[in-house]
Amino acid sequence: MKNQQADAVEMQSIYKYFDNFCALNAVNLKVRRGSIHALLGENGAGKTTLMNILYGLYRPDGGKILINGEPVEMKNPNVAIEHKIGMVHQHFKLVENFTVVQNIILGQEVVKAGCVLDLARARKQVMDLSKTYGLAVDPDAKIEDISVGMQQRVEILKALYRGVEILILDEPTAVLTPQEINELVNIMHNLTEDGKTIIIITHKLKEIKKSSEYCTIIRRGKYIDTVVVKSVSEQQLASMMVGREVSLVVAKAKADPGDIIFRIDNLTVEDNRKIERVKELSLYVKRGEIVGIAGIDGNGQKELVEAITCLTKVKAGKISINGAELQNTSPHYVVENGIATIHEDRQKRGLVLDFPVKYNLILENYNKPQFAGRSILKEPAIHQFAEDSIRRYDIRPEDCASEPARALSGGNQQKVIIARELSENPELLLAFQPTRGLDVGAIEFIHSALIKHRDSGHSILLISFELDEIMNVSDRICVLYDGRIVAEFLQGEVDENEIGLLMAGGERKNGI
Amino acid sequence: MLISILLAVSITLMYAAPLMFAGLGGVISENAGVVNIGIEGMMTIGAFCGAAVGYFSGNPWWGFAAGGLSGGLLALVHAVASISFRADQTISGVAINFIGPGLALFLSRKLFAGSAMTKPVEHPIPTIFGSYAAKSSNLLIKAANIEMTVPIVFICALVLWFVLYKTSWGLRIRSVGENPAAADTLGINVYKIKYVAVFVSGVLSGFGGATMTLAVMNYFTQSTISGQGFIALAAVIFGKWKPHGTMAACLLFGFAQALVVLLGGSNSKIQIPSSLLSMLPYVLTLVSLVLFVRHSTAPKADGIPYVKGH
Ligand SMILES: Nc1ncnc2c1ncn2[C@@H]1O[C@H](COP(=O)(O)OP(=O)(O)OP(=O)(O)O)[C@@H](O)[C@H]1O
Ligand SMILES: [Mg+2]
């Protein structure tokens, strides 16, 4: 019998050390049953670590966990699953070459005759769930072929399929569009009305305001406070989390664009399954200009980026920078021509996770004379460069140069990539979701880094699902829908609602 | 004509059967993310135990079972080293390839009066038509009279395919080979699955070795297993880590060995030096790997030891 008064989750004075680095220092967390509880903290504060402990993936080095008032020893995820705890991880845990259905049922398969998979029935269960909660997925697609947004939905379905009572969402909205976020918030409210409890990690203060009742703040592994969300402002939350005042909107001067340096003409790109994802798309970027591409995930962004970076073949059309044609050449050629790229999936495309941070920082420049002479790496120079980058981009912990990139928190991994990509002063920076999963302090930092890059006479093509980001940073905004640019505006010419409408396939305007 | 084709087929099958057992062994362990270079060693110990137990018990099936068991036990050594202690899987496999033949030689000298080879097995694995073929004058039946191990290995392949692609166990095994961290978060015991897969891999390799000594030859010497384990591994890669593909690749390599026999026969019209001919299976393996394996993709986490919490 459940104790009706007890909190769904209570974590008391949790400690966690990685070697002798203290990731959690006496952190407390109390979550009321049926509530939505936000966990807020900077990149590397220890949020994911705390939740991994709750889910039984890490063993704490001290402290107690109570579920519904009963002490529980979370030895492994099985114990958590038994207590109906589900977790959607910040970095998805999906088997890439399995289908959506296979991923959802893995470990709790629908079978007949003891062990034979009943995929038809499984598929139906999944589709029922997907319909009930409005989480659209393609059940038979392989994970490697679907967008990050859909992968996210698969992860949520995975938890719902297991009948969770306590759902942990580690940055679930980092990759969702504004509309999808609203839907998710609705889903979360439906779930809590059902009596379920949700712990949500997010850096987006707006969402916390919209969705959560309580918010616990941790900073650098220490418990700061738990507040009732209604009674504090976004600004207050931000300062509590960072420990200083932060500005939520970037300041920037008006753009002063020069000549066109980068252009795409009538580009058509197909995906793995031979479906056209980019359709006769044309656009250009001028020197000293930030062009933002707004659009809902899955409208061709991934293929556009892969075409520009030569990771995929172009079916038709031209891509050129300073007159040099890039389509169907090689990624190396693209880099050589002054294009740097921040990829959407930092773990897959951005980093070699098992390499130390310092090698990750020179992945593109390892053969430049300052880092290698006659093919021999110059270790001291590399180390020095790493230390400088770490300081300049505030990558934490400060002494991580020789640590594997894997050991950094998600946000800090992203900073490593940005440090690397900006280090060569690229003519054009292709930034695809550059602030995915970053805290407000870090976003402020990266946005001002982008603007500084622009002000030094370089160009940026920003592709983001984050409408706020596009609106704040871009000088010119293109709206991408179904593989085409359907509208184009200068900053300030348009409001969020109008773009939101166009992103969803609304009427075509100022078409090009 | 029909008879010589049939003969070529049955010789191909005879030589392919040991490869197929071992290849299936490779498929299951690699699908669970453990590279098994040690197949050669597991085949060798299986071949010896098959011959020895077959000789002493007078029953080839006891020998066959013993071959499988000994291969499985040796595989457990590989499992302990590479799964529990996270030793490099290639190095651990190489060690197995030293232990297998060494142990076989040691036991052979102990059991067979200091001889490095076993005595011939009196009753080898029976053939599908058995004594009926001996009595029959029908040449077709004589030519098609293959050993029971051949249908057995095809059944094994079918079972393995079914398990891997149609059951919940298979889904779990493959998930462990692709993304063990994902499997772990869903409460799947990654280590247990890897252990079971490696053990089964050893059993199948042992069967392959025993097939060599109980169906192809009828005794064990140091050269009974000479590279079949590695050819089987190549077949796994050639077969894209899938049971059916691997079976097909093994048939191809078996055919190469059959050619050695067929073309090397004294009554054959073309005379090729036998030493050149016996290179054929190995050369074919190399060539096929070079030419066709470009698009083959291994399970993502194949060969990477799984450490919790990383
Ligand atoms: N497996 C590990 N080994 C060593 N250090 C680790 C490991 N996992 C996390 N850390 C360290 O612990 C700290 C907390 O990391 P955690 O991932 O919990 O941060 P977070 O609050 O989730 O940040 P983010 O918002 O960037 O995801 C970081 O400094 C990180 O470098
Ligand atoms: Mg995190």
Side-chain angles (χ1 to χ4, degrees):
Chain A
M1 193 52 221
K2 276 184 195 168
N3 179 350
Q4 290 303 320
Q5 299 307 312
D7 288 311
V9 173
E10 184 168 356
M11 301 178 82
Q12 296 174 344
S13 187
I14 302 287
Y15 284 86
K16 178 71 191 174
Y17 292 88
F18 291 111
D19 298 323
N20 38 28
F21 171 74
C22 182
L24 293 175
N25 188 347
V27 173
N28 300 312
L29 178 69
K30 259 185 175 187
V31 184
R32 243 197 41 211
R33 174 150 349 110
S35 69
I36 301 179
H37 195 117
L39 201 52
L40 183 66
E42 289 178 283
N43 295 129
K47 306 174 299 288
T48 299
T49 306
L50 186 68
M51 290 301 106
N52 278 340
I53 287 172
L54 180 56
Y55 192 63
L57 282 170
Y58 291 166
R59 302 291 294 273
D61 296 314
K64 242 166 88 176
I65 300 174
L66 291 93
I67 304 296
N68 297 320
E70 308 274 334
V72 176
E73 199 195 340
M74 289 293 170
K75 276 190 297 225
N76 54 50
N78 273 329
V79 180
I81 293 169
E82 261 167 46
H83 286 86
K84 298 209 175 301
I85 301 176
M87 178 159 177
V88 174
H89 296 267
Q90 180 175 11
H91 300 116
F92 306 146
K93 308 273 188 200
L94 296 168
V95 183
E96 293 260 307
N97 67 350
F98 279 15
T99 65
V100 167
V101 171
Q102 287 174 328
N103 266 286
I104 292 173
I105 64 170
L106 181 63
Q108 209 154 302
E109 298 84 358
V110 184
V111 291
K112 49 193 173 194
C115 67
V116 182
L117 289 175
D118 189 346
L119 282 177
R121 205 153 51 107
R123 191 174 182 284
K124 190 170 171 304
Q125 286 186 12
V126 168
M127 287 322 281
D128 285 350
L129 269 179
S130 138
K131 222 172 283 154
T132 319
Y133 295 102
L135 292 154
V137 293
D138 175 355
D140 307 311
K142 287 194 174 165
I143 298 298
E144 57 201 2
D145 294 328
I146 64 179
S147 66
V148 184
M150 194 183 283
Q151 293 181 8
Q152 174 82 73
R153 299 197 281 279
V154 174
E155 284 282 19
I156 296 175
L157 280 171
K158 236 162 79 175
L160 293 175
Y161 174 80
R162 286 168 174 71
V164 295
E165 289 296 328
I166 300 165
L167 180 61
I168 306 164
L169 301 170
D170 193 352
E171 296 191 30
T173 58
V175 292
L176 302 187
T177 60
Q179 287 88 341
E180 286 174 312
I181 291 172
N182 286 339
E183 279 167 31
L184 181 69
V185 171
N186 287 340
I187 292 165
M188 283 164 46
H189 284 139
N190 290 344
L191 289 171
T192 47
E193 266 163 36
D194 255 19
K196 298 192 199 304
T197 308
I198 296 176
I199 304 175
I200 177 170
I201 300 179
T202 174
H203 295 294
K204 296 182 191 165
L205 305 167
K206 239 194 227 168
E207 275 162 31
I208 295 183
K209 288 295 282 180
K210 234 188 299 184
S211 66
S212 312
E213 287 165 64
Y214 304 95
C215 178
T216 293
I217 296 126
I218 51 182
R219 194 194 306 149
R220 301 196 181 201
K222 289 209 186 73
Y223 174 84
I224 301 295
D225 201 0
T226 298
V227 294
V228 177
V229 171
K230 264 196 298 224
S231 63
V232 291
S233 71
E234 280 180 42
Q235 191 62 51
Q236 279 171 307
L237 281 174
S239 351
M240 260 193 278
M241 152 180 158
V242 185
R244 64 177 164 89
E245 290 294 314
V246 282
S247 82
L248 297 176
V249 185
V250 273
K252 74 175 195 190
K254 214 169 149 30
D256 179 20
D259 317 328
I260 293 179
I261 67 151
F262 175 80
R263 58 185 313 146
I264 296 177
D265 296 299
N266 296 317
L267 183 74
T268 300
V269 188
E270 288 178 341
D271 68 5
N272 294 348
R273 289 187 286 174
K274 298 267 169 253
I275 299 168
E276 277 189 13
R277 293 295 182 177
V278 177
K279 302 169 183 169
E280 304 200 341
L281 177 144
S282 299
L283 64 81
Y284 62 87
V285 185
K286 291 180 176 165
R287 195 178 297 283
E289 182 187 42
I290 302 180
V291 175
I293 297 188
I296 298 175
D297 186 15
N299 277 282
Q301 291 92 338
K302 182 166 166 258
E303 290 76 15
L304 177 61
V305 171
E306 289 183 354
I308 297 174
T309 51
C310 280
L311 290 170
T312 190
K313 281 239 165 5
V314 166
K315 192 177 167 210
K318 258 177 32 185
I319 304 169
S320 59
I321 183 162
N322 290 326
E325 286 197 16
L326 304 175
Q327 73 276 7
N328 299 336
T329 56
S330 69
H332 183 70
Y333 186 74
V334 172
V335 173
E336 290 290 288
N337 273 283
I339 297 186
T341 310
I342 298 165
H343 280 284
E344 174 188 31
D345 189 333
R346 55 179 160 251
Q347 298 209 327
K348 205 159 93 189
R349 291 270 161 82
L351 295 168
V352 181
L353 288 174
D354 290 312
F355 272 18
V357 168
K358 58 181 174 186
Y359 290 162
N360 271 296
L361 281 166
I362 58 155
L363 276 186
E364 276 161 354
N365 305 320
Y366 64 94
N367 56 0
K368 297 271 160 69
Q370 69 265 37
F371 298 130
R374 300 207 175 106
S375 298
I376 310 283
L377 291 177
K378 296 176 179 162
E379 284 292 341
I382 294 171
H383 202 86
Q384 191 53 47
F385 173 74
E387 302 256 283
D388 290 346
S389 304
I390 288 167
R391 206 167 319 111
R392 201 130 57 91
Y393 288 87
D394 189 27
I395 300 167
R396 290 182 209 164
E398 306 94 58
D399 55 351
C400 65
S402 303
E403 296 288 317
R406 190 182 292 288
L408 297 189
S409 74
N412 283 301
Q413 290 178 352
Q414 188 73 0
K415 291 190 198 164
V416 171
I417 295 174
I418 287 167
R420 177 183 69 215
E421 297 302 329
L422 285 180
S423 69
E424 284 290 284
N425 257 322
E427 289 246 36
L428 177 81
L429 177 70
L430 178 58
F432 190 9
Q433 294 276 71
T435 58
R436 177 181 168 192
L438 299 201
D439 66 59
V440 283
I443 291 178
E444 178 191 30
F445 181 87
I446 281 164
H447 283 171
S448 54
L450 293 183
I451 289 163
K452 223 187 285 162
H453 191 63
R454 176 201 77 172
D455 289 345
S456 65
H458 299 102
S459 316
I460 292 169
L461 182 58
L462 169 69
I463 301 177
S464 175
F465 308 139
E466 213 82 59
L467 196 45
D468 283 346
E469 176 164 81
I470 297 271
M471 304 282 295
N472 273 337
V473 180
S474 324
D475 302 316
R476 188 151 55 82
I477 300 170
C478 298
V479 183
L480 182 70
Y481 175 73
D482 192 24
R484 293 190 175 91
I485 303 287
V486 293
E488 186 184 312
F489 306 92
L490 291 177
Q491 188 186 30
E493 254 183 15
V494 63
D495 65 14
E496 216 163 297
N497 286 333
E498 188 169 357
I499 291 199
L501 210 64
L502 287 162
M503 280 164 60
E507 196 152 305
R508 198 174 161 133
K509 231 183 149 186
N510 299 357
I512 40 167
Chain B
M1 184 62 196
L2 185 61
I3 289 180
S4 35
I5 291 177
L6 212 53
L7 200 66
V9 169
S10 38
I11 296 179
T12 298
L13 287 172
M14 179 175 88
Y15 281 111
L19 298 180
M20 291 197 268
F21 275 118
L24 293 177
V27 167
I28 185 161
S29 104
E30 306 234 352
N31 268 279
V34 182
V35 169
N36 193 354
I37 298 273
I39 287 183
E40 176 90 359
M42 297 172 200
M43 280 185 93
T44 310
I45 196 72
F48 168 77
C49 289
V53 173
Y55 170 77
F56 286 117
S57 69
N59 182 338
W61 297 115
W62 281 116
F64 193 68
L69 188 66
S70 60
L73 289 178
L74 193 55
L76 282 183
V77 177
H78 181 50
V80 171
S82 67
I83 302 168
S84 300
F85 293 105
R86 293 176 207 125
D88 185 286
Q89 296 174 9
T90 307
I91 294 177
S92 160
V94 168
I96 296 290
N97 286 340
F98 284 115
I99 297 174
L103 198 61
L105 180 64
F106 171 76
L107 290 173
S108 171
R109 289 207 195 284
K110 277 266 171 235
L111 296 174
F112 294 93
S115 163
M117 80 197 241
T118 67
K119 295 233 169 65
V121 180
E122 211 170 313
H123 302 285
I125 299 261
T127 54
I128 52 174
F129 298 119
S131 51
Y132 174 73
K135 279 183 257 151
S136 159
S137 57
N138 187 337
L139 286 176
L140 276 177
I141 287 190
K142 276 192 192 300
N145 194 19
I146 47 176
E147 292 75 21
M148 293 294 282
T149 39
V150 173
I152 292 176
V153 76
F154 277 94
I155 292 170
C156 283
L158 210 65
V159 170
L160 184 60
W161 173 83
F162 188 81
V163 167
L164 275 183
Y165 297 103
K166 297 287 161 192
T167 70
S168 50
W169 305 330
L171 201 66
R172 292 175 186 199
I173 292 172
R174 288 186 294 135
S175 74
V176 164
E178 285 287 336
N179 190 345
D184 199 6
T185 54
L186 295 175
I188 291 171
N189 190 335
V190 174
Y191 296 124
K192 190 171 114 193
I193 287 194
K194 283 184 183 249
Y195 260 90
V196 171
V198 171
F199 178 73
V200 173
S201 164
V203 170
L204 286 166
S205 306
F207 282 161
T211 305
M212 227 29 224
T213 46
L214 291 167
V216 179
M217 311 154 81
N218 62 351
Y219 59 93
F220 171 86
T221 78
Q222 288 289 286
S223 64
T224 304
I225 303 297
S226 50
Q228 284 94 332
F230 293 112
I231 294 180
L233 267 182
V236 173
I237 299 169
F238 196 21
K240 297 192 164 46
W241 286 267
K242 299 198 163 69
H244 38 290
T246 302
M247 291 292 279
C250 287
L251 279 175
L252 180 70
F253 297 145
F255 179 63
Q257 285 190 328
L259 273 187
V260 176
V261 177
L262 290 170
L263 297 180
S266 48
N267 54 357
S268 118
K269 286 182 208 90
I270 6 167
Q271 283 301 327
I272 305 171
S274 69
S275 46
L276 276 186
L277 254 185
S278 34
M279 279 168 54
L280 192 62
Y282 308 98
V283 171
L284 187 72
T285 309
L286 262 181
V287 170
S288 58
L289 281 181
V290 171
L291 289 184
F292 299 107
V293 180
R294 239 162 304 159
H295 302 296
S296 184
T297 43
K300 276 221 186 58
D302 199 10
I304 305 165
Y306 179 60
V307 191
K308 257 175 153 3
H310 273 253

